[in-house]
Amino acid sequence: MVSSVYTDLMDDGDELDALVPLDEQWYSQTPAPGWTVGRQVAHLADVAAMARAAAARTGPDANGTPRRPLELIEGPEPTVRRWRTERAAAARALGAAEQERDLPWLGGTAGPSLIAAALAMEVFGHGQDIVDTVGRGRTHTDRIGHVVWFGVRTRDFGYRAHGLEPPETRFRFEITAPSGALWGFGPDDADQRVIAPAVDFCLLVTCRRHRDDVDVKAAGREADRWLGIAQSYPGPAGAGRGPGQFRRR
């Protein structure tokens, strides 16, 4: 399904980088309330810096404390340069880290490849806000498999964000890659199933589309409930996107 999450992370970052506007659109509000395009890029730089620090096991960022967004005082070009520097450094540091050893991450620990997948999820989600704002197209490849895997692995985040106890029942996820390949996760005989194209699944779990606006199907009552609370990041559930806010692709 995937090659190297570290090289794929760089490729995804480079492709999004090429779509980031450096003109007045930098200050445009994105679909995320209170987030300009510039703030989105600054956040990606901050999260990459956290990952770099985690791999080095140094500094407060290694414990998951992001720096204050600097897009307004840095300006477009310095912020983008900082993001380029930090994402390259994070990919190198995570790739060079001992792969079987957990690193400090968001108040806990995680393996280097898991942190890299989390960064891929951030690039996908915040990148979607950017492309929705500037109105430019975005082409996805099977590199999106890292985001799919992360969304499956973090299934229980949505339950906890809504104050719910995650079920012990395992789900079966059947996700169709952009290439047409089928990615399966979970027991083949599971009663609770989620079936979706990869891009739609990732739009749902990153809360960039309402469930009504993506082609994600559920079989089973619990799986259907999950579609309404899915999120691939920890912490409180945000407002997300409303039904009909974006037309189904």
Side-chain angles (χ1 to χ4, degrees), residues 129-201:
D129 289 336
I130 293 170
V131 299
D132 283 340
T133 302
V134 301
R136 299 183 66 179
R138 191 183 191 189
T139 301
H140 294 287
T141 70
D142 282 12
R143 293 195 302 267
I144 201 173
H146 302 295
V147 186
V148 171
W149 175 83
F150 191 78
V152 170
R153 195 180 189 283
T154 56
R155 183 203 71 166
D156 292 351
F157 281 2
Y159 288 102
R160 298 192 180 103
H162 289 81
L164 301 172
E165 186 67 24
E168 295 182 3
T169 303
R170 295 181 64 191
F171 288 7
R172 172 69 176 176
F173 294 87
E174 296 180 351
I175 311 298
T176 303
S179 67
L182 181 63
W183 297 331
F185 306 88
D188 290 337
D189 60 351
D191 292 331
Q192 308 299 317
R193 310 175 80 84
V194 175
I195 303 101
V199 175
D200 288 56
F201 178 79

Side-chain angles (χ1 to χ4, degrees), residues 88-102:
R92 287 195 302 269
L94 291 170
E98 186 178 342
Q99 296 299 297
E100 301 304 318
R101 187 179 182 186
D102 282 349

Side-chain angles (χ1 to χ4, degrees), residues 59-83:
D61 287 349
N63 293 320
T65 304
R67 295 185 295 172
R68 179 172 57 89
L70 301 173
E71 78 278 6
L72 294 181
I73 60 176
E74 285 185 325
E77 293 183 2
T79 304
V80 171
R81 284 198 298 269
R82 182 166 68 90
W83 177 40

